[in-house]
Every structure is written in C-alpha cells, then in structure tokens.
Amino acid sequence: MILPVYTYGSAVLRKKSEPIDSGYPNIKELIDNMFETMHSASGVGLAAPQIGLPIRVLVIDFAQIEDKTDPELSKFRVAMINPRMLYMSEETSVEEEGCLSIPGINENVARSKHIKIKYLDTDFNEHTEDFSDYRARAIQHEYDHLEGKLFTDKVSQLRRQLIKSKLNNIVKGKVNCKYRVSK
Ligand code: NI
C-alpha cells in the first residue's frame, strides 16, 4: 500500500524515533509498504517518520541507480530496524542529496565516507556491517531522519538562506511533486 509522505514542517520529522521490539504489529507489512511508497515516489531511501511513524525503521533500495563504475550498487537493498551507528569516519565526501519529504530541493551535503552500523533485519536478526561511499551516505541520510534531522540542516548558512523561501513554501503546503504528501 502506498502511503502519503510527510513533508518539511511536519512535527513527526523532528522527533527522535523510538526503537521497536519484535511484538510491533505487522512490521513486515509496514516495511513492504515503505518500499512500495518509496518506489512509487522514485526515491532510494525512506525512514518511518516520513510516513508519520516515529519508530526506528528505515529502508533503502538502489534498484534504479545505474553506476557503471560499480554495477553492484543497484543490487543494494536493505531494511534496518533499530539501527545504531557504531562508527562514522572523519573522512567525508560531498555529494548532492534530495529527500522525498523536501521535494524540489537538492543540496550538497558532507557525509562520512565510511560507517559501521548495527541493526536488526525484518526477522529481528542482528547484523553489524561496514558501508562506504554512496551506501554509507544513504544510510546516514535515513538514520538522520530517525534522529529528527534533515539534510537541509547540514547545508551551509549561505545555502540555507537561499533555500529558505522554498522551505517555507513546503511548510505552507505548496509542494509540486508527483506523489501523495501529508502534513
Ligand atoms: Ni530524506
């Protein structure tokens, strides 16, 4: 089921999300719905607060990314429950990011190049994995959502000033995107 995406200005996007346990109702169905919502909006990542739920769940799927230097990249698909960042490298890289909750805005963001993260899969089995570059970037972006942080918080003061009116328009509900949104 495709769910509406909560946009910039929604209080749920600024909450610190809570961990869940294996008793959480219909978690697999919820994660399926998150993948479906993300795919229908042509996104590559989605965190539960973006569908209005302040719980620590995120999904990522790079199926639509084509990178000839890394053909494996498009196979990257993961759902993480209760992720916990164990390491973020001091070494960073800067790339342009966007967010389904902030339609029409793309900005350069510095992120750690390498991370180590512990998480539960959809069967609540624990994994600890290292990720680098674009995978690490996407995970950091979605992980930030669980902390109530948005990528626009991380752009330079000057850029933030320049996108201020666009952000205010989103707060007012003036959004131009092809998927269903909510407040
Ligand atoms: Ni986002």
Side-chain angles (χ1 to χ4, degrees), residues 1 4 10 23 33 40 49-50 61 71 77 79 90 101 104-105 123 156:
M1 185 171 61
S10 303
N33 289 342
S40 77
Q50 294 182 275
D61 188 357
R77 178 186 163 104
E90 271 177 41
S101 294
I105 297 181
D123 295 313
S156 69

Side-chain angles (χ1 to χ4, degrees), residues 50 98-100 141-142 145:
Q50 294 182 275
C99 179
L100 293 180
H141 177 117
E142 301 313 328
H145 276 298

Side-chain angles (χ1 to χ4, degrees), residues 81-142:
I81 297 170
N82 301 345
R84 193 153 68 86
M85 206 64 86
L86 301 178
Y87 166 76
M88 295 168 78
S89 68
E90 271 177 41
E91 188 189 356
T92 57
S93 67
V94 175
E95 296 281 351
E96 201 176 78
E97 292 188 15
C99 179
L100 293 180
S101 294
I102 315 176
I105 297 181
N106 295 281
E107 291 292 328
N108 283 332
V109 182
R111 300 273 187 196
S112 295
K113 268 180 84 71
H114 310 284
I115 62 165
K116 185 188 284 289
I117 194 166
K118 189 156 97 170
Y119 66 94
L120 304 173
D121 62 26
T122 56
D123 295 313
F124 285 82
N125 294 316
E126 193 177 285
H127 301 262
T128 300
E129 284 183 69
D130 297 297
F131 295 97
S132 294
D133 302 311
Y134 200 51
R135 294 172 184 83
R137 172 174 297 277
I139 293 167
Q140 287 170 82
H141 177 117
E142 301 313 328

Side-chain angles (χ1 to χ4, degrees), residues 153-181:
D153 305 340
K154 292 184 181 305
V155 305
S156 69
Q157 198 121 29
L158 174 69
R159 290 301 309 169
R160 212 174 314 159
Q161 204 57 38
L162 291 169
I163 61 176
K164 207 174 170 180
S165 64
K166 279 191 189 174
L167 289 173
N168 284 337
N169 280 338
I170 301 174
V171 173
K172 288 181 201 146
K174 288 185 210 158
V175 285
N176 185 13
C177 58
K178 290 192 175 115
Y179 46 92
R180 200 151 58 94
V181 297

